[in-house]
């Protein structure tokens, strides 16, 4: 399916990881969550987080299986005294990101794994606070967005979902031929600005992408005047062949950071050259939140 191939490439833009620094906006005001079967997924401050019961006993035999499956050396797992239940923590540095794996004791005496990953340095207090909220079942249910939502909660404003749009992750929406966007709410505007800067830097380093145009443009983002970084990427290699089969040649991306409704937001919006571009200069999804000046 050529459309699937085309939007598979967009996955590499859509599933970005944010970075953040100083705490101001409270944790629960920044947290997004969804449930999918037995798993919970969270996004906050650059972290992508999963919470899953491994259905293994919280004992030596259970940990042996869990560590073997996840390729963890048992010596690397240490208890964290700030977590409000029995636990073991493993930190791992990957080539492009960092991971923290919290193995915590569930009420059923099984191993639950709360797995954090992000682009930049760890925010230990954020990790520990969220793990404690999870193990004590204190995440408000209203924070969990339905996976079949017909509207987008865009930082406090409900936006009707287009008929053919769908979520591919937390705060990640794709609309075939009508654009794609993803966003995060941050503690400070500086955090949001750093987030889009980090994402642009990460995109430039991808072998499949080559920036051919780059400029700052004046826009209205949620009716707030601001500047956005507009970058046109040429798609290279195998990715170029996949996108080209659907008629796509270039990907235009807008990187925006602004305070909206007292929430610092970082947002990345993109569309292909053969998407349905309106007389506004943007596809329909992007025009719901941004206007060009």
């Amino acid at each position: 399916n050529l459309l699937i191939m085309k939007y598979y490439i967009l996955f590499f833009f859509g599933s970005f990881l944010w970075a953040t620094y100083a705490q101001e906006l409270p944790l629960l005001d920044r947290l997004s969550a969804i449930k999918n079967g037995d798993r919970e997924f969270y996004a906050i401050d650059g972290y992508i987080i999963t919470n899953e019961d491994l259905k293994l006993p919280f004992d030596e035999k259970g940990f042996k299986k869990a560590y073997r499956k996840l390729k963890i050396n048992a010596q690397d797992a240490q208890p964290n005294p700030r977590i409000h239940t029995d636990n073991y923590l493993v930190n791992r540095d990957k080539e492009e990101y960092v991971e923290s794996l919290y193995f915590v004791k569930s009420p059923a005496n099984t191993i639950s794994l709360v797995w954090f990953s992000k682009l930049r340095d760890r925010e230990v207090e954020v990790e520990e606070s969220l793990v404690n909220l999870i193990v004590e079942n204190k995440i408000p249910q209203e924070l969990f967005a339905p996976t079949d939502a017909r509207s987008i909660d865009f930082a406090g404003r409900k936006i009707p979902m287009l008929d053919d749009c769908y979520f591919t992750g937390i705060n990640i929406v794709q609309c075939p031929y009508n654009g794609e966007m993803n966003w995060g709410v941050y503690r400070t505007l500086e955090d949001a600005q750093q987030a889009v800067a980090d994402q642009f830097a990460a995109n430039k380093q991808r072998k499949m992408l080559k920036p051919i145009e780059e400029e700052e443009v004046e826009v209205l983002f949620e009716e707030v005047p601001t500047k956005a970084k507009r970058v046109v990427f040429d798609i290279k290699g195998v990715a170029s062949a996949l996108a080209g089969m659907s008629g796509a040649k270039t990907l235009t991306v807008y990187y925006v950071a602004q305070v909206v409704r007292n929430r610092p937001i970082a947002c990345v919006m993109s569309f292909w050259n053969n998407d349905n571009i309106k007389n506004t200069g943007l596809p329909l999804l992007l025009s719901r939140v941004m206007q060009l000046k």
Side-chain angles (χ1 to χ4, degrees), residues 251-263:
L251 187 68
T252 299
V253 184
Y254 287 88
Y255 302 85
V256 183
Q258 185 54 269
V259 176
V260 174
R261 295 180 287 279
N262 295 319
R263 295 172 171 87

Side-chain angles (χ1 to χ4, degrees), residues 24-289:
E24 289 190 8
L25 197 63
L27 184 144
L28 288 178
D29 289 339
R30 310 192 306 272
L31 185 67
S32 300
I34 59 173
K35 292 181 180 179
N36 189 348
D38 293 334
R39 290 186 176 186
E40 296 173 348
F41 298 86
Y42 301 91
I44 186 172
D45 298 350
Y47 281 107
I48 301 299
I49 305 140
T50 60
N51 175 34
E52 178 183 13
D53 192 327
L54 299 182
K55 296 182 170 58
L56 294 170
F58 195 89
D59 58 23
E60 184 177 350
K61 186 176 180 180
F63 277 104
K64 187 174 181 180
K65 289 182 178 179
Y67 292 162
R68 182 169 62 246
K69 181 179 180 180
L70 295 168
K71 300 179 180 178
I72 288 173
N73 189 327
Q75 283 73 33
D76 294 335
Q78 300 295 326
N80 184 333
R82 291 175 295 279
I83 301 303
H84 300 166
T85 188
D86 294 341
N87 73 92
Y88 291 94
L89 167 63
V90 177
N91 291 321
R92 300 197 294 197
D93 291 333
K94 300 291 185 175
E95 184 176 346
E96 295 182 352
Y97 58 96
V98 294
E99 293 181 332
S100 298
L101 287 73
Y102 290 80
F103 298 88
V104 298
K105 186 177 182 179
S106 77
N109 201 36
T110 57
I111 301 171
S112 287
L113 173 59
V114 186
W115 191 331
F116 294 77
S117 65
K118 74 191 299 269
L119 207 78
R120 274 180 170 263
D121 299 335
R122 296 180 183 90
E123 295 288 335
V124 176
E125 291 185 2
V126 171
E127 293 180 11
E128 294 170 350
S129 296
L130 186 56
V131 170
N132 284 327
L133 288 172
I134 291 172
V135 301
E136 295 175 350
N137 196 28
K138 290 183 176 178
I139 304 294
Q141 289 303 304
E142 56 266 27
L143 286 183
F144 288 89
T147 54
D148 59 349
R150 299 317 306 159
S151 65
I152 301 167
D153 183 354
F154 191 73
R157 181 171 76 93
K158 295 289 186 180
I159 302 173
M161 183 83 92
L162 302 177
D163 289 341
D164 58 349
C165 297
Y166 49 90
F167 285 96
T168 60
I170 299 179
N171 295 346
I172 306 172
V173 175
Q174 289 185 357
C175 301
Y177 294 104
N178 283 304
E180 186 265 4
M181 72 178 187
N182 44 50
W183 64 96
V185 179
Y186 289 82
R187 287 179 283 195
T188 67
L189 177 59
E190 290 76 13
D191 294 350
Q193 292 168 335
Q194 185 64 54
V196 292
D198 288 344
Q199 179 55 22
F200 174 55
N203 292 154
K204 283 203 304 183
Q205 292 175 2
R206 297 188 186 278
K207 294 181 180 179
M208 74 170 77
L209 305 174
K210 178 183 178 182
I212 55 177
E213 294 180 26
E214 180 181 340
E215 62 177 339
E216 282 202 342
V217 296
E218 299 284 344
V219 301
L220 285 176
F221 180 67
E222 288 290 88
E223 304 303 323
V224 180
T226 189
K227 290 185 178 181
K229 179 184 285 289
R230 176 184 178 273
V231 183
V232 179
F233 289 93
D234 186 27
I235 311 300
K236 303 188 294 181
V238 174
S240 176
L242 292 175
M245 291 171 69
S246 68
K249 295 181 180 179
T250 61
L251 187 68
T252 299
V253 184
Y254 287 88
Y255 302 85
V256 183
Q258 185 54 269
V259 176
V260 174
R261 295 180 287 279
N262 295 319
R263 295 172 171 87
I265 300 175
C267 186
V268 175
M269 297 162 279
S270 60
F271 61 89
W272 295 92
N273 61 287
N274 67 334
D275 281 355
N276 299 320
I277 311 302
K278 305 300 181 182
N279 55 12
T280 61
L282 298 170
L284 188 55
L285 177 64
L286 274 63
S287 67
R288 295 281 178 94
V289 301

